[in-house]
Amino acid sequence: MTPAIDSLIHYDQELLLALNGQHAPWADTLMYWITFKFTWIPMYLALAMITIKVEGKKSIGIFVAVILAVALADQITSGIMKPYFHRFRPCHEPDLAGMVHEITGCGGQFGFASSHASTSFAVAGVWFALLKDKVSYMWLLLVWAALYSYSRVYAGVHYPGDILVGALIGILVAWLCIRLYFIFLAKYFGN
């Protein structure tokens, strides 16, 4: 690797150890539930009900955009990037053995880039952009995506760089799906 890449990896590991090293039993419990994907099913159901109430028939197009964003963000990170880059998760990194605080188990071997970050920012970005003018608290989805993504660093399964790149991918995918919505889906599913 180049000295610049080595330096980035070193700083990413140092930041991970600093952030992951700040833990407490109460925070472990909280972050366990924040990072657990099924915790958020009630939120998704509430978002679906709000979307149907606010948008009626147009909600179908929004759901298609959200589902497409999740599938695309996950495929880019899990299907392409992780197998290509082969960057160990912090909890699998031999150089960090015994230094990473884990709360959920380690998961798959590779972690670059975070699919939790990419999919959560894709979901938050699409729903925020398409409902923000009608539902005033949609900005909370962006806070949720950031907290959900950070929980992966706290849990010791992702580096901050994994999260940053995953979030950027999620935002880009959200933008593409929002464009698709306005170009095609909004017209097809009615105004």
Side-chain angles (χ1 to χ4, degrees), residues 81-83 85-89 92 107-113 157-158 162:
M81 295 182 74
K82 288 177 186 176
F85 289 106
H86 286 107
R87 183 179 189 199
F88 286 124
R89 292 178 183 270
H92 285 307
Q109 190 172 16
F110 304 119
F112 183 79
V157 296
H158 280 294
D162 300 345

Side-chain angles (χ1 to χ4, degrees), residues 11-132:
Y11 288 125
D12 204 17
Q13 288 178 338
E14 292 296 318
L15 184 56
L16 172 274
L17 292 173
L19 294 171
N20 177 262
Q22 302 299 315
H23 54 84
W26 67 267
D28 288 357
T29 301
L30 178 64
M31 287 298 173
Y32 172 83
W33 289 108
I34 288 172
T35 204
F36 185 59
K37 62 185 172 184
F38 296 118
T39 298
W40 302 105
I41 290 174
M43 180 188 77
Y44 299 135
L45 293 174
L47 284 167
M49 291 184 340
I50 291 166
T51 303
I52 291 167
K53 181 180 178 184
V54 169
E55 293 294 352
K57 185 180 175 189
K58 287 198 307 187
S59 63
I60 296 169
I62 293 170
F63 295 147
V64 170
V66 168
I67 291 167
L68 182 61
V70 169
L72 188 55
D74 184 61
Q75 185 58 36
I76 290 169
T77 53
S78 292
I80 298 171
M81 295 182 74
K82 288 177 186 176
Y84 179 79
F85 289 106
H86 286 107
R87 183 179 189 199
F88 286 124
R89 292 178 183 270
C91 47
H92 285 307
E93 176 58 56
D95 293 341
L96 300 179
M99 292 189 274
V100 177
H101 178 71
E102 295 178 49
I103 61 169
T104 61
C106 199
Q109 190 172 16
F110 304 119
F112 183 79
S114 169
S115 27
H116 278 76
S118 69
T119 57
S120 63
F121 274 94
V123 164
V126 171
W127 247 316
F128 170 76
L130 298 180
L131 292 183
K132 68 179 172 28

